[in-house]
Amino acid sequence: MRLDRSVVLTGRRGEIPSGIKEVPPRTILGLPMLERTILTASQAGVREFILIGADAESGKAILASLGEDKRFQEKDKRLEYVPLSGLTDLVRRGALRGRFWLMDGDVVFAPAVLEKAAQADPGEDQDLLVVHSLEEGRPGQQPTIKTADDGRTITAFGGDAGGRAVSFAGAGLCSGETLTRLAGAFTKRGSVRLDADVMKETFDPARTVAFDAGPDFCETVASKASAKRAERYLLGTARKPTDGFFSRNFNRYVSTFLTRHLLKINVSPMEISVVVLFVGLLSGWFEGRGGYRNAVLGAFLFELASIIDGCDGENARLTFRSSKLGSRLDVTSDALTFVFFFMNLPIGLYRSTWNNLWLILGGLCLLSMILFYVQFSIYTQRSGIGNNIVAVVKDIEKSAGRPGFTGKIDWIASKIAPIYRRDFFATWVFLFILFGAAKVFMGILVVVTPVEAVYMFFYSRRRLRQEKIAEVEV
């Protein structure tokens, strides 16, 4: 069954919903509401979008804006705008004979909502409306729906009848016949608004079921209060499940705060990546100047670069601007910052002590780092694991116990692999240097970097050999 088509209502743009004395924002975290709705639905597999609005002029402006945006130029994505006056013709030509998603143009939702709702689809002749529980003192909630105790059977639309009260969440799965009734209700009122009266006229309780979104976010942004809830949810999605300890408990709080404000001034992910690289290289420059103050300032900038390094990815995920180029720039920036900083650390120690030993040790570390990154690059390209140090770290963490990885060294490597996450070593570098232990840290580095280069050499070859064997067996 095709569930890749959607009708998106754009009539709310610029309007003040009934009962709300404030104008809801049109943009959240750098992306207009309508665009966010379409792009999120695309993530859930929706490819065809019929946008319904009040007049043809608004449609021209919307399509022109979307047409200039690369995110809407995918070959299999189709956008069509139908004004209120064209709804009758839309129904007559049978553009949506099968089932389709019905969405408010201002709904913010998790893609999982559509996936789970599709699994709960009641069948061809019934409609499904996504709902969430009413919360006391929660302004800006959508039309009330009454359900039976099972939470699925709808008994009435509106707040007068008895039953369990839930709120329409801004999305639904409808049959082609529903479009006919919906078009009639919109035409009669001269407005494209899915309010309580339209829902009463369009949906028959006997043929409509409720689907509770549960823990998954799904809500139409109809007020400043609902906008704050949506923003809080979206910022939560900017986090990554692969975040290390320091990122999860400190860095992300700072980076999401910065991202929230950077999006307001339309800073792009690429611009953030350039700033991160500049801060990272500046940290190395200060580190190489010598002296405690320069060392601490360099270490602080190194830690700062690690924190704001999360902003470009958060920005890209929140605005659907992730790209291979951005990913490569991010990885390259990390590598350059890492090598440049630790190349300058021994130079700074030399300028502080005028002991040539630090330059010799620094040269050994630099050579080891170069060898490590060469092995890393070869392995990620051949394995297809992804050109990201975190992916390799996760792979090493899971390696213990695999065939060919049962030794003690592999077990130790799987346990200490998290130290190679940028958030971990950036924080510890800062703490060591802050407390005047730069020499101690340099000593640790001299031991660790050659070992990691040698281990990466043998680990990558064993893993690639293992993959070849698996391919042959298949």
Side-chain angles (χ1 to χ4, degrees):
M1 182 187 299
R2 290 185 64 191
L3 292 177
D4 61 353
R5 296 176 296 181
S6 175
V7 169
V8 182
L9 309 179
T10 67
R12 302 181 68 95
R13 292 165 73 93
E15 296 184 14
I16 303 177
S18 176
I20 304 298
K21 298 180 180 180
E22 54 182 326
V23 178
R26 295 187 182 185
T27 300
I28 288 185
L29 296 175
L31 193 62
M33 297 303 308
L34 177 62
E35 282 83 333
R36 185 175 294 282
T37 298
I38 295 172
L39 290 169
T40 306
S42 295
Q43 283 189 331
V46 181
R47 312 312 299 167
E48 298 182 26
F49 297 87
I50 295 178
L51 313 179
I52 298 179
D55 57 79
E57 289 303 315
S58 297
K60 289 179 182 179
I62 291 172
L63 291 180
S65 175
L66 299 181
E68 295 172 357
D69 193 324
K70 292 182 180 179
R71 291 169 292 188
F72 297 90
Q73 294 175 359
E74 297 176 19
K75 291 182 180 179
D76 61 340
K77 187 178 295 180
R78 189 174 72 86
L79 299 170
E80 178 185 356
Y81 181 88
V82 178
L84 185 60
S85 59
L87 285 180
T88 303
D89 181 62
L90 176 69
V91 172
R92 187 183 300 115
R93 59 188 170 93
L96 290 170
R97 294 173 190 263
R99 299 181 71 67
F100 65 92
W101 295 104
L102 176 65
M103 300 178 190
D104 270 331
D106 294 330
V107 64
V108 174
F109 61 97
V113 169
L114 298 194
E115 296 166 8
K116 293 178 181 179
Q119 294 172 2
D121 186 0
E124 286 288 344
D125 61 341
Q126 286 189 296
D127 298 322
L128 176 149
L129 296 178
V130 180
V131 301
H132 56 67
S133 301
L134 284 171
E135 294 182 19
E136 251 183 84
R138 180 172 174 172
Q141 299 184 94
Q142 291 302 292
T144 301
I145 298 172
K146 293 299 182 69
T147 68
D149 291 338
D150 61 6
R152 181 175 173 84
T153 304
I154 293 178
T155 57
F157 291 96
D160 298 330
R164 176 175 173 263
V166 294
S167 177
F168 176 56
L173 183 56
C174 306
S175 66
E177 293 179 3
T178 301
L179 180 63
T180 303
R181 296 191 296 273
L182 187 65
F186 284 156
T187 302
K188 182 164 66 173
R189 287 165 177 76
S191 173
V192 183
R193 290 279 306 284
L194 197 58
D195 55 25
D197 291 333
V198 170
M199 293 189 75
K200 285 180 182 179
E201 189 170 332
T202 303
F203 298 101
D204 178 1
R207 298 178 58 256
T208 308
V209 298
F211 172 78
D212 196 327
D216 296 311
F217 192 88
C218 186
E219 183 174 354
T220 295
V221 175
S223 68
K224 291 181 180 179
S226 57
K228 287 182 179 178
R229 292 192 291 268
E231 185 177 276
R232 190 161 52 247
Y233 154 72
L234 290 169
L235 286 173
T237 66
R239 293 172 174 267
K240 297 169 70 174
T242 55
D243 282 344
F245 175 81
F246 290 105
S247 279
R248 190 167 55 250
N249 295 288
F250 176 71
N251 291 9
R252 282 295 178 191
Y253 290 99
V254 179
S255 64
T256 52
F257 173 81
L258 294 173
T259 296
R260 180 172 174 267
H261 291 281
L262 290 172
L263 285 170
K264 290 181 180 179
I265 57 176
N266 201 30
V267 177
S268 72
M270 202 70 72
E271 290 167 342
I272 296 173
S273 295
V274 172
V275 171
V276 171
L277 177 58
F278 173 76
V279 174
L281 296 179
L282 188 63
S283 72
W285 184 82
F286 274 106
E287 205 63 38
R289 302 290 291 172
Y292 175 75
R293 289 184 180 179
N294 286 327
V296 171
L297 179 56
F300 171 75
L301 290 174
F302 189 63
E303 170 72 352
L304 179 63
S306 174
I307 293 172
I308 62 177
D309 183 47
C311 293
D312 53 359
E314 292 164 1
N315 185 306
R317 288 188 290 277
L318 288 169
T319 58
F320 301 86
R321 290 188 284 190
S322 299
S323 67
K324 290 182 179 180
L325 176 61
S327 178
R328 283 195 290 268
L329 178 61
D330 190 47
V331 172
T332 303
S333 173
D334 287 351
L336 287 175
T337 297
F338 184 87
V339 172
F340 191 68
F341 181 87
F342 289 112
M343 180 180 73
N344 277 280
L345 177 59
I347 294 175
L349 289 172
Y350 167 74
R351 286 182 171 174
S352 298
T353 63
W354 301 109
N355 187 337
N356 290 329
L357 177 63
W358 296 118
L359 297 180
I360 296 171
L361 296 178
L364 176 62
C365 287
L366 179 61
L367 178 61
S368 300
M369 289 177 191
I370 291 173
L371 290 174
F372 172 83
Y373 275 107
V374 168
Q375 296 301 318
F376 169 80
S377 179
I378 293 173
Y379 174 60
T380 54
Q381 288 180 17
R382 291 182 179 177
S383 67
I385 196 172
N387 198 21
N388 189 312
I389 189 69
V390 174
V392 176
V393 168
K394 294 292 288 184
D395 192 55
I396 294 175
E397 288 176 353
K398 297 176 182 177
S399 66
R402 288 174 178 165
F405 294 87
T406 56
K408 289 184 178 180
I409 294 178
D410 292 312
W411 182 84
I412 294 171
S414 69
K415 298 303 178 184
I416 67 171
I419 71 174
Y420 295 104
R421 294 174 182 269
R422 184 172 181 177
D423 65 310
F424 185 94
F425 63 72
T427 301
W428 280 107
V429 166
F430 175 65
L431 292 175
F432 266 94
I433 293 176
L434 178 65
F435 290 105
K439 293 178 183 179
V440 175
F441 189 82
M442 188 66 208
I444 296 173
L445 209 60
V446 168
V447 175
V448 171
T449 51
V451 171
E452 72 173 1
V454 172
Y455 184 77
M456 188 65 197
F457 175 83
F458 289 104
Y459 175 83
S460 61
R461 274 150 183 75
R462 284 184 293 164
R463 282 290 286 130
L464 291 172
R465 192 183 309 121
Q466 191 180 63
E467 289 179 6
K468 284 184 179 180
I469 293 172
E471 288 177 3
V472 170
E473 290 178 351
V474 171

